[in-house]
Amino acid sequence: MEVEKLRRWAFAAIPGGVGLAVGVAWAVLEELQYNGIVVNPIPDLVSFVVTGIGVVLLMIAFTSIRKTQRASGGTSGTVGYWIAMTGLLLSAAWVWPLFVLGPLLVGIGVSLYGASTLAAGTFRSFGSWLHVLCVPTAIVVGFASYAVGFDGGIGIIVFMAMVIAGFMTLGFDTAAPAERRIPREVAA
């Protein structure tokens, strides 16, 4: 029963991911506004509040995900977990340079956590793969986009998209009810 209670809290990753996505959108639009390309329609205060709420929800969800995986016999991923939680805590303070350092720590932490989860083999999720691949994919996309004449910041956008999608997928996969197996004689 304890695992079932923990699973419910993992759903917080979905609205938490949306909240963090608003913060990322605000940062991208602020950069574009600084370069005179667009006017940022997201007010600073709205971005700060929504991002803060989203980060808190992600912290709750990630704690639930980790405890559910441990209760199911999975790895604890302690080092990656604490690096990611530190990054999430820094991301809650949506001020320079913390909104750059925080997501970087989150990415490194979830990469380590996802690698340990996949290596243990007890819990498979597409979100774990997204987390493991977020840093190398961002590096490749960033350098490739810069090489063809675009801003290398596109790699950062890809990085954050993979981190957010990974959290949301992990939250959904953890919170979804376990499959009920149908005996072969009934299924036939």
Side-chain angles (χ1 to χ4, degrees):
M1 189 62 173
E2 176 72 20
V3 174
E4 293 302 319
K5 287 181 183 177
L6 288 172
R7 286 178 189 250
R8 289 187 214 131
W9 286 105
F11 262 127
I14 295 171
V18 171
L20 187 56
V22 167
V24 172
W26 173 84
V28 169
L29 291 170
E30 276 294 308
E31 184 65 26
L32 293 174
Q33 179 174 314
Y34 177 76
N35 291 322
I37 298 171
V38 299
V39 175
N40 188 354
I42 305 172
D44 295 349
L45 182 61
V46 170
S47 172
F48 179 76
V49 170
V50 171
T51 303
I53 292 169
V55 167
V56 168
L57 289 173
L58 283 176
M59 291 175 78
I60 291 168
F62 196 35
T63 301
S64 174
I65 290 166
R66 179 175 181 243
K67 287 182 179 180
T68 301
Q69 290 177 356
R70 287 179 58 192
S72 301
T75 181
S76 64
T78 304
V79 174
Y81 172 78
W82 285 111
I83 292 172
M85 289 299 275
T86 302
L88 284 170
L89 190 60
L90 292 176
S91 297
W94 202 237
V95 295
W96 176 260
L98 298 182
F99 71 79
V100 173
L101 180 61
L104 179 62
L105 286 175
V106 171
I108 292 168
V110 296
S111 293
L112 293 172
Y113 183 81
S116 67
T117 300
L118 291 172
T122 55
F123 184 81
R124 299 273 183 205
S125 173
F126 182 63
S128 295
W129 283 106
L130 286 171
H131 283 165
V132 168
L133 297 174
C134 68
V135 174
T137 303
I139 291 170
V140 169
V141 169
F143 280 117
S145 63
Y146 186 75
V148 297
F150 292 108
D151 190 345
I154 295 172
I156 296 170
I157 296 169
V158 169
F159 168 77
M160 286 308 298
M162 290 178 76
V163 168
I164 292 168
F167 271 125
M168 294 171 88
T169 305
L170 270 174
F172 181 80
D173 289 345
T174 303
E179 291 181 29
R180 296 187 179 173
R181 306 232 181 242
I182 302 173
R184 289 183 182 218
E185 54 274 356
V186 174

